[in-house]
Amino acid sequence: MELVFTAHGHSCDLALHPVSEKTARTIEKYGSEVYSMKALDWWRKGKTATWGMRIDDLCHIQVSLDGKPVEFDYERIVADPLRIRRRMFLDSRAKYLCVLGFDNEVCRFSWKWTGVDSFNPDRFEFMVHQWDRIMGEDGYFILDEIRYNNEFATNHDWCDASGFTLVPPRIIDLDEVRRELAEGGPEHIGSPFPSPHITASTKHPG
């Protein structure tokens, strides 16, 4: 049998880059203009990007077996978000982090498994990032990858893509984030992670 998981909504191509204090000040000064600066055209390179589908109210999801829809609890997708990428930066010596990229390209993506013997929704594993505090938006989930019965999809189909707009770049002060978390602050939900220009007296409660 053939199992297909299809998501139609907004794709993301977002990067979290450790940056120097000098680069952080440049981004704070020029904002979205940095995308056109040759010195910063590296944002889509390297291994710091998160590429996937946003799981939000605009995302339509269908699960089918041999072309026929099957029952599926969509809340399972966002039930257990990953924390590895976030901890990688927090446990490093980096002082500043920059968020760059886009999150509003309308498209459709399908994961397809062939030779499936039976369907059990409990066999799905969803690799999802929760970026509420990174992006400053509640319920900000990015579906990165899916496995079924411990297997990655046999085929991927990414199509019907349209245009996108780049998000305003944002600097995160990692020392402030580390301090908040050490004091028991929330990691996933709450106010946006602090930027360098935000002080203790102006931060919103988490």
Side-chain angles (χ1 to χ4, degrees):
M1 292 186 288
E2 182 179 82
L3 176 65
V4 179
F5 183 104
T6 301
H8 194 170
H10 291 125
S11 69
C12 302
D13 187 350
L14 294 166
L16 290 176
H17 277 300
V19 295
S20 67
E21 184 169 353
K22 180 180 179 181
T23 301
R25 301 308 175 200
T26 298
I27 294 171
E28 288 275 282
K29 179 178 180 180
Y30 293 100
S32 294
E33 292 180 29
V34 300
Y35 285 112
S36 61
M37 295 181 180
K38 186 175 181 180
L40 293 175
D41 66 1
W42 41 258
W43 73 270
R44 300 188 75 171
K45 303 175 183 178
K47 299 180 180 179
T48 61
T50 290
W51 184 61
M53 292 290 295
R54 282 201 63 183
I55 303 300
D56 55 18
D57 292 340
L58 299 177
C59 184
H60 175 72
I61 292 171
Q62 184 178 62
V63 181
S64 64
L65 190 64
D66 283 343
K68 298 179 180 179
V70 294
E71 292 290 330
F72 179 73
D73 180 5
Y74 303 121
E75 293 297 322
R76 295 174 57 88
I77 301 172
V78 298
D80 189 24
L82 297 171
R83 297 168 184 254
I84 297 174
R85 181 72 58 83
R86 175 108 25 105
R87 301 310 313 186
M88 177 178 73
F89 294 116
L90 291 175
D91 295 340
S92 73
R93 298 176 64 183
K95 181 171 176 58
Y96 298 110
L97 204 61
C98 184
V99 185
L100 296 161
F102 64 83
D103 63 355
N104 61 353
E105 181 182 50
V106 177
C107 64
R108 177 170 57 85
F109 195 78
S110 294
W111 289 261
K112 188 180 299 182
W113 293 263
T114 56
V116 174
D117 56 2
S118 62
F119 176 68
N120 182 342
D122 292 337
R123 295 180 183 175
F124 274 121
E125 293 178 77
F126 298 99
M127 283 146 266
V128 174
H129 303 274
Q130 184 173 5
W131 281 22
D132 290 36
R133 302 197 67 196
I134 293 173
M135 301 302 292
E137 182 178 331
D138 292 339
Y140 198 104
F141 296 98
I142 304 171
L143 177 58
D144 191 339
E145 185 58 277
I146 307 175
R147 291 197 300 183
Y148 182 77
N149 201 26
N150 295 317
E151 298 289 339
F152 288 103
T154 310
N155 299 101
H156 297 86
D157 180 22
W158 186 271
C159 60
D160 299 336
S162 64
F164 59 84
T165 54
L166 295 164
V167 301
R170 180 167 177 265
I171 300 295
I172 295 172
D173 189 328
L174 287 174
D175 284 345
E176 284 294 319
V177 174
R178 293 181 183 107
R179 187 174 298 114
E180 281 190 6
L181 298 183
E183 295 172 352
E187 182 170 350
H188 277 315
I189 58 174
S191 58
F193 282 133
S195 297
H197 63 278
I198 297 178
T199 64
S201 61
T202 60
K203 282 189 298 185
H204 297 293

